[in-house]
Amino acid sequence: MKNQELAKKLTSLSKNSRLEKFGKVITFLCLALIVFIVAMILIFVAQRGLSTFFVDGVSMVDFLFSSTWDPSSKLFGALPMISGSFIVTILSAIVATPFAIGAAVFMTEVSPKYGAKILQPVVELLVGIPSVVYGFIGLQVVVPFVRSIFGGTGFGILSGVFVLFVMILPTVTFMTVDSLRAVPRHYREASLAMGATRWQTIWRVVLNAAKPGIFTAVIFGMARAFGEALAIQMVVGNSAVVPTSLTTPAATLTSVLTMGIGNTVMGTVQNNVLWSLALVLLLMSLVFNMIMKFITREGKKNYAR
């Protein structure tokens, strides 16, 4: 009898085992909920966006490659907004990357003590500023500055680049800092032991080893810039034409969406076209995420070698 009771106790789940099993169930349900929400968002946006082509009969080729955007005349060429979004995103990333790398190197390699005390709080403050404040500052400061230096109205790609540069700078900086700190210390020690100077070690060893993480930071910053709406809307000019220069008014996918979504009726072709623009934004976000995953995976392979 005693042996049977002992065997029963040994085979029964302990309290810790039950708690562990309960924790696994809870985490699985949370994961399933997140996957469900993301899937529903994808399905909803895709359904609305594809209705433009399969229900309303708008040509997908004309939508992607036509430069005429006039919803009142049933002309839906999204090329001006797509090109405007890509130009602003790429230029802001090009401008922000050197500053972000320089700030990250100062915070991690040159002067970590003062960088953590002075520079890091400043960068953190930039993260917490709402986008509408960036847009308002751009409207009051950047646009008049561009107008006085380059002429024109001041609204356009260049003003949007300046605003997005400041907005994505803290994101790229922090991710670059994490990448530099992830470089093993013995890389630096080996380089210095072989007679390299500190700057040679930073340039040829540390930055080279952190290259995948830096690329990931830049792509993440580009994704942030590509999806920005309010700030860019206030300074870009919102003119749905293919940009011919950096100082002429232009438009982005997000600026057209924020301006037009409240002025259309659900189910109409004008509303469905805006959902098609949202679908393009969503697909580009997925592309950015795939690129980041690929770079991260390649970086892990390089570290493993």
Side-chain angles (χ1 to χ4, degrees), residues 140-201:
Q140 297 295 320
V141 178
V142 176
V143 171
F145 173 78
V146 173
R147 184 188 303 127
S148 62
I149 300 298
F150 301 98
T153 63
F155 294 94
I157 297 292
L158 191 58
S159 298
V161 168
F162 285 145
V163 172
L164 287 181
F165 152 68
V166 180
M167 293 187 68
I168 70 174
L169 180 62
T171 301
V172 181
T173 301
F174 278 134
M175 294 187 67
T176 304
V177 167
D178 293 337
S179 300
L180 295 179
R181 288 175 177 169
V183 176
R185 185 175 181 81
H186 63 265
Y187 282 25
R188 301 172 176 85
E189 295 173 349
S191 177
L192 295 173
M194 294 179 66
T197 64
R198 182 175 64 171
W199 288 107
Q200 288 174 332
T201 300

Side-chain angles (χ1 to χ4, degrees), residues 48-66 68-71 73-78 267-274 276-277:
R48 293 289 183 180
L50 294 177
S51 296
T52 304
F53 313 112
F54 297 103
V55 177
D56 300 317
V58 177
S59 172
M60 187 177 298
V61 175
D62 292 340
F63 176 79
L64 294 176
F65 300 104
S66 175
T68 304
W69 177 264
D70 188 5
S73 301
K74 301 296 180 66
L75 298 174
F76 306 107
T268 61
V269 61
Q270 289 82 1
N271 183 266
N272 289 337
V273 166
L274 295 179
S276 299
L277 296 180

Side-chain angles (χ1 to χ4, degrees), residues 41-42 45 49 63-64 78 81-82 84-86 89 222-229 232 252-258 273-289:
I41 292 175
L42 292 173
V45 176
F63 176 79
L64 294 176
M81 287 76 74
I82 296 175
S85 295
F86 274 105
T89 299
M222 292 177 64
R224 169 81 169 85
F226 198 84
E228 178 55 41
I232 193 69
T252 63
L253 292 168
T254 52
S255 64
V256 172
L257 276 171
T258 53
V273 166
L274 295 179
W275 280 108
S276 299
L277 296 180
L279 180 60
V280 174
L281 273 174
L282 184 59
L283 293 177
M284 285 309 306
S285 298
L286 294 177
V287 170
F288 283 130
N289 288 330

Side-chain angles (χ1 to χ4, degrees), residues 96-110:
T97 299
F99 289 93
I101 294 177
V105 169
F106 179 82
M107 294 169 62
T108 58
E109 305 295 329
V110 178

